[in-house]
Amino acid sequence: YLHELSTFTWIAAPVFIGEYFMTEVGDEMDQLIGSLSELFDTSVTSEESDKSKPEPFVIPEGYKAFSEVFGWVPEAGDSAVRIFDNPDAPKLDPNWIWPREETEELVTAMRLGLPCRLVGPTGSGKTKWAENYAAVTGRGFYRISFSESLFLDQLIGSKEIVNGDTCFVKGELPRRMEVPSIILCDEVSRASAGINMAFLQRFLEPGNVLPILDTGEEIIPHEGVSVLAADNTLGLGENSDKYPTANVQDSSTQNRWGATILLGYMSEESLAALIVRSVPKLAGAQAHRLARLATLCQNAYMDGQIPLSFSPRQALPIARLAVEFGSIERAFKVNFLNALDDDSQAVVQGFFKTIW
């Protein structure tokens, strides 16, 4: 058709077609684009915006924020920690330094009511963690030291003659379970087979109900009771050279732990900070050197070079003695060196000379 038009028409045709497209087809395109814009509109109304915002963190009555209790916001976000008011709660060690990752894991697991096991070498702060946790949450602290010589009636109670009558007298554990308490099962791998079967396995069931076999009674624990174990081994027979009295626990006991948290020694920086806080009269440089010595001795202990570990139990008395003696070397000798055999002394003296 265009070929039959005049030159003028040939030139004008594209203009005409363009105008037609812009007016007729263009209107339809505008409508289509408008519809697509509505379909894919990502703008948010004020009502939708309010819904998308995270709800503010509200602390229920009787609770405190994790960040307020421990001093930092956990990686997963702040949470509520239940606070009780047991008058027998221990006092918080003001110089205590919380291990962050392990604390977050333990607090979460215990909030869920899981029986927790804290495993680490001697002197890593397991018992101290439990005691300070009881302090900041307002609970009593009860420590059960397990051994082959621990009998069930020592834990639960026994029949006794009172005013001429035979009656059952509750032991310390049932009484502690009636009030908010942290119950620490210390060195639980040393428990006898009888204690494992008659007490521990049932006690670690959900709810931590304590059966009194002599009376048929069951002690339902207070809502503020949490069960925590502290041990040097996993109960698998490992590290038998360092902890020869630890027993191998069968799988029926192992499976009852809701959480197993591994706690190593304090970092060198944290130990130095603890020494400075606890013994401010000791020079800061000496505190850092003492922390370095502790690290070397801990590594030697784990490698089997020396028979004794070196933890805050040694570092803090050495720091205090050094202030009194005016000599870090004399304090170290009195507290730690004299307790070692000749071969171990040679190893540790090498560490001391390297640092000082």
Side-chain angles (χ1 to χ4, degrees):
Y1 170 74
L2 291 176
H3 279 289
E4 297 176 357
L5 296 177
S6 63
T7 304
F8 175 79
T9 306
W10 173 255
I11 296 172
V15 177
F16 170 76
I17 293 172
E19 289 178 350
Y20 174 79
F21 181 82
M22 292 299 294
T23 54
E24 300 296 332
V25 180
D27 291 342
E28 295 179 6
M29 287 297 293
D30 288 341
Q31 294 176 8
L32 178 61
I33 291 171
S35 299
L36 291 173
S37 296
E38 292 178 4
L39 180 63
F40 293 103
D41 184 16
T42 57
S43 62
V44 181
T45 64
S46 59
E47 183 178 350
E48 292 172 334
S49 177
D50 292 339
K51 292 180 180 179
S52 65
K53 291 180 180 178
E55 294 184 3
F57 180 61
V58 179
I59 306 295
E61 186 177 353
Y63 289 76
K64 288 184 179 180
F66 183 104
S67 56
E68 180 183 355
V69 175
F70 298 103
W72 74 91
V73 177
E75 185 177 347
D78 219 343
S79 59
V81 177
R82 183 73 183 272
I83 305 298
F84 298 90
D85 58 354
N86 189 333
D88 294 326
K91 292 183 179 180
L92 174 68
D93 181 350
N95 300 314
W96 173 251
I97 298 174
W98 296 99
R100 290 201 173 196
E101 182 177 342
E102 294 83 355
T103 297
E104 292 177 17
E105 293 169 348
L106 278 165
V107 171
T108 301
M110 287 197 288
R111 186 178 70 241
L112 297 175
L114 302 176
C116 300
R117 181 171 56 161
L118 193 55
V119 179
T122 181
S124 56
K126 302 180 294 296
T127 302
K128 200 70 174 176
W129 189 97
E131 190 172 3
N132 280 303
Y133 181 71
V136 296
T137 56
R139 305 190 227 193
F141 178 69
Y142 177 52
R143 177 180 179 181
I144 304 172
S145 296
F146 284 86
S147 68
E148 289 285 349
S149 60
L150 178 68
F151 296 101
L152 193 60
D153 58 357
Q154 294 174 271
L155 287 174
I156 298 177
S158 60
K159 290 182 178 180
E160 298 180 13
I161 298 176
V162 180
N163 298 326
D165 296 325
T166 301
C167 61
F168 182 82
V169 178
K170 290 180 180 178
E172 184 75 6
L173 178 59
R175 295 197 298 269
R176 294 290 187 134
M177 291 183 64
E178 295 172 350
V179 295
S181 302
I182 297 297
I183 297 175
L184 179 69
C185 300
D186 198 19
E187 309 295 356
V188 71
S189 64
R190 298 183 182 183
S192 65
I195 288 290
N196 264 320
M197 295 297 294
F199 165 70
L200 198 56
Q201 291 186 8
R202 297 190 66 181
F203 187 55
L204 294 177
E205 290 289 340
N208 306 125
V209 175
L210 179 64
I212 307 295
L213 301 180
D214 288 334
T215 64
E217 180 186 2
E218 288 189 337
I219 305 296
I220 307 299
H222 187 280
E223 61 178 343
V225 168
S226 291
V227 179
L228 175 66
D231 212 335
N232 300 128
T233 78
L234 292 166
L236 302 175
E238 81 281 15
N239 293 327
S240 58
D241 56 331
K242 296 182 180 65
Y243 312 108
T245 58
N247 298 315
V248 176
Q249 294 181 318
D250 60 27
S251 59
S252 59
T253 302
Q254 293 277 4
N255 290 339
R256 281 168 166 78
W257 297 111
T260 297
I261 312 298
L262 304 181
L263 182 64
Y265 287 114
M266 264 186 167
S267 69
E268 197 170 309
E269 294 76 14
S270 294
L271 181 55
L274 177 63
I275 296 170
V276 169
R277 289 184 188 182
S278 304
V279 192
K281 291 184 179 180
L282 186 72
Q286 294 286 59
H288 283 274
R289 287 173 181 167
L290 184 54
R292 180 60 185 158
L293 177 64
T295 299
L296 294 177
C297 290
Q298 289 161 5
N299 292 338
Y301 170 72
M302 296 304 293
D303 291 340
Q305 296 179 3
I306 60 176
L308 298 178
S309 180
F310 194 107
S311 70
R313 292 173 185 164
Q314 286 72 43
L316 295 180
I318 289 173
R320 296 187 184 103
L321 287 170
V323 171
E324 295 298 320
F325 290 150
S327 167
I328 192 78
E329 184 174 8
R330 187 179 180 187
F332 176 63
K333 182 190 72 172
V334 168
N335 176 268
F336 191 69
L337 192 65
N338 287 349
L340 300 174
D341 58 68
D342 292 342
D343 292 338
S344 300
Q345 282 191 11
V347 173
V348 172
Q349 282 177 324
F351 298 152
F352 189 91
K353 291 177 181 178
T354 299
I355 297 170
W356 273 278

